[in-house]
């Protein structure tokens, strides 16, 4: 049987940039190995989710793996929790979070606190919030789990009844349309109040808990020694958590082996992608943090014989798109081509089925996912 290699280059799509001679970072990059795949394969244009939808990664990845998010999606929060090994049951409330730098009032200085938070810093901040914040608006407990960089997941556990995910985000860069998380064309600059989207008691209580958590966690983090050190060094304090994409149950999805008759394993970086893979019945092949793309290629070559194929999700280009760094994005693409695709193409048998695509575009000019 032929082996399948399915590679998603996160956010690689872009728009023409004047400083690159009217080219995108992908077209400006030196990519001999991707060029070879393009010459020998077939090219096409994929509209990931639908017209005029700038999808979040979880929505886009579900769609690119063959699962219509309008049918199977249950919110990003539970997938983040699953990928971060957090306890979560139906009726709990899970959300994706960003450690963020807040200024006076509700003003957001930087949504990612400078994008230079270490895992030690975020773990210390999460531990402080977990141990020092007590919620009183309703009988409930919570857990914050620092994951990768500025990212975290938050799960609320009601002591009685259940909570509803029918609430709005506090993160002003993202909205919920038809139950799906989408990037706003113009992001707000202040932390938003969480509001219920229906009149159920479960939604009202959930919104109250989120707002109380947002307020009290800021009070704890603002004076934390981690932020005292960051301020003293001239950096941004990570003194808030922006929450989005609530979910109150895990998606009910058929396993990929049942749906498509193939058994895939995956190599992924982010908790949400790990959560998606687990929910679809994929094995997650671990790579130690911080390893380069050559290690990813070696891992795929070493692991693929035990499966029908591999799904690999490379985050690099997306982060430079969010930062508006077109040179960094071009360099990231060139490194992926040289260190990942180069070794794979040199060593792979000639009968592999290759698919290389993106989950969404993250153009450098808007610094956000676009439609």
């Amino acid at each position: 049987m032929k082996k399948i290699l399915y590679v998603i280059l996160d956010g690689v799509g872009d728009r023409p940039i004047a400083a690159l001679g009217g080219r995108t970072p992908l077209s400006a990059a030196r990519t001999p190995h991707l060029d070879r795949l393009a010459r020998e394969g077939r090219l096409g244009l994929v509209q990931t989710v639908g017209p005029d939808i700038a999808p979040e990664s979880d929505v886009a990845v579900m769609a690119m793996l063959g699962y219509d998010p309008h049918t199977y999606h249950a919110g990003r929060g539970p997938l983040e929790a699953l990928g971060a090994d957090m306890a979560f049951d139906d009726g709990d409330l899970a959300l994706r979070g960003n450690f963020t730098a807040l200024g006076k009032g509700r003003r957001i200085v930087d949504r990612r606190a400078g994008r230079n938070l270490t895992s030690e810093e975020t773990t210390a901040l999460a531990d402080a919030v977990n141990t020092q914040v007590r919620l009183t608006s309703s009988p409930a407990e919570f857990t914050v789990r620092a994951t990768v960089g500025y990212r975290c997941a938050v799960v609320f556990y009601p002591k009685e009844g259940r909570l509803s995910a029918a609430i709005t985000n506090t993160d002003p860069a993202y909205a919920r349309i038809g139950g799906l998380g989408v990037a706003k064309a113009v992001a707000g600059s202040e932390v938003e109040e969480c509001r219920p989207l229906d009149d159920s008691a479960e939604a009202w209580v959930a919104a109250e808990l989120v707002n109380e958590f947002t307020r009290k966690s800021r009070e704890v983090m603002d004076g934390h020694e981690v932020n005292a050190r960051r301020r003293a060094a001239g950096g941004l304090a990570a003194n808030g958590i922006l929450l989005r994409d609530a979910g109150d149950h895990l998606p009910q999805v058929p396993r990929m082996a049942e749906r498509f008759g193939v058994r895939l394993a995956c190599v992924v970086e982010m908790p949400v992608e790990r959560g998606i893979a687990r929910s679809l019945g994929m094995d997650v092949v671990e790579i130690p943090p911080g390893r380069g793309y050559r290690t990813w290629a070696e891992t795929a070559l070493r692991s693929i014989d035990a499966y029908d194929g591999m799904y690999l999700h490379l985050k690099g280009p997306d982060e430079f798109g969010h930062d508006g760094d077109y040179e960094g994005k071009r360099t990231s693409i060139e490194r992926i081509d040289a260190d990942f695709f180069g070794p794979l193409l040199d060593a792979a048998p000639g009968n592999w089925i290759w698919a290389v695509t993106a989950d969404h575009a993250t153009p450098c000019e808007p610094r956000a996912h676009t439609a």
Side-chain angles (χ1 to χ4, degrees):
M1 179 178 176
K2 295 181 179 180
K3 299 293 184 179
I4 301 165
L5 198 74
Y6 189 24
V7 183
I8 290 183
L9 304 179
D10 199 310
V12 73
D14 215 297
R15 298 172 180 173
I17 295 171
L20 295 178
R23 297 172 294 173
T24 69
L26 177 59
S27 61
R30 183 179 182 277
T31 54
H33 304 102
L34 284 168
D35 293 347
R36 174 186 162 188
L37 288 171
R39 280 194 309 272
E40 298 179 6
R42 299 179 183 177
L43 304 181
L45 180 66
V46 176
Q47 189 170 70
T48 310
V49 178
D52 301 320
I53 294 176
E56 286 204 58
S57 293
D58 57 315
V59 175
V61 170
M62 288 289 286
M64 294 304 288
L65 291 174
Y67 292 81
D68 184 349
H70 293 96
T71 301
Y72 294 109
H73 192 256
R76 180 167 184 165
L79 295 171
E80 295 272 357
L82 180 61
D85 298 313
M86 300 176 74
F88 179 83
D89 292 318
D90 285 0
D92 296 338
L93 185 74
L95 302 98
R96 156 67 190 269
N98 276 19
F99 287 99
T100 189
L102 300 178
K104 196 171 183 179
R106 304 177 73 87
R107 185 173 68 89
I108 299 170
V109 178
D110 188 305
R111 293 190 63 256
R112 301 171 180 86
R115 206 192 275 276
N116 60 357
L117 285 163
T118 66
S119 59
E120 291 78 10
E121 289 175 323
T122 55
T123 298
L125 291 170
D127 288 346
V129 173
N130 287 331
T131 56
Q132 297 179 41
V133 171
R134 292 294 176 266
L135 301 176
T136 59
S137 59
S138 182
E141 297 179 346
F142 71 88
T143 298
V144 181
R145 178 71 53 83
T147 56
V148 179
Y150 56 86
R151 305 166 184 86
C152 65
V154 181
V155 180
F156 294 87
Y157 304 100
K159 293 184 178 179
E160 54 188 44
R162 58 179 294 131
L163 298 172
S164 170
I167 58 174
T168 60
N169 300 332
T170 66
D171 188 334
Y174 297 91
R176 305 187 74 184
I177 298 177
L180 302 182
V182 298
K184 292 181 180 178
V186 179
S189 59
E190 293 189 343
V191 181
E192 295 187 348
E193 192 82 4
C194 182
R195 302 184 308 278
L197 293 171
D198 60 36
D199 287 330
S200 68
E202 293 85 357
W204 278 94
V205 170
E208 289 174 356
L209 287 170
V210 167
N211 289 326
E212 182 184 9
F213 169 85
T214 299
R215 183 178 69 254
K216 290 184 175 179
S217 61
R218 178 177 183 174
E219 293 169 358
V220 168
M221 291 189 294
D222 203 41
H224 196 279
E225 61 182 1
V226 163
N227 285 323
R229 290 194 297 267
R230 290 177 64 84
R231 290 185 179 107
L236 293 172
N239 58 349
I241 296 177
L242 299 175
L243 295 175
R244 69 182 195 260
D245 302 325
D248 54 31
H249 63 280
L250 285 170
Q252 301 301 308
V253 294
R255 299 298 179 98
M256 184 163 281
E258 301 166 5
R259 185 173 172 84
F260 298 111
V262 294
R263 183 166 174 260
L264 300 185
C266 72
V267 182
V268 296
E269 294 178 81
M270 297 298 154
V272 67
E273 294 142 17
R274 184 183 300 260
I276 289 171
R278 287 175 172 168
S279 71
L280 300 182
M282 291 190 214
D283 287 349
V284 179
V285 179
E286 302 288 355
I287 291 181
R291 296 298 177 92
Y293 292 123
R294 193 169 292 275
T295 301
W296 282 59
E298 293 167 353
T299 302
L301 287 166
R302 184 174 64 250
S303 305
I304 198 168
D305 283 346
Y307 303 94
D308 297 323
M310 301 286 294
Y311 153 54
L312 300 102
H313 192 119
L314 281 62
K315 183 70 176 173
D318 177 71
E319 297 200 338
F320 291 103
H322 280 296
D323 289 342
D325 182 357
Y326 58 85
E327 286 291 359
K329 190 170 183 178
R330 175 168 68 173
T331 299
S332 172
I333 294 166
E334 290 179 344
R335 187 170 296 121
I336 289 169
D337 186 83
D339 294 345
F340 178 77
F341 285 105
L344 276 175
L345 278 167
D346 287 342
N351 66 341
W352 279 16
I353 299 170
W354 296 69
V356 182
T357 183
D359 47 352
H360 53 75
T362 310
C364 291
E365 183 180 356
R367 302 188 177 198
H369 300 187
T370 66

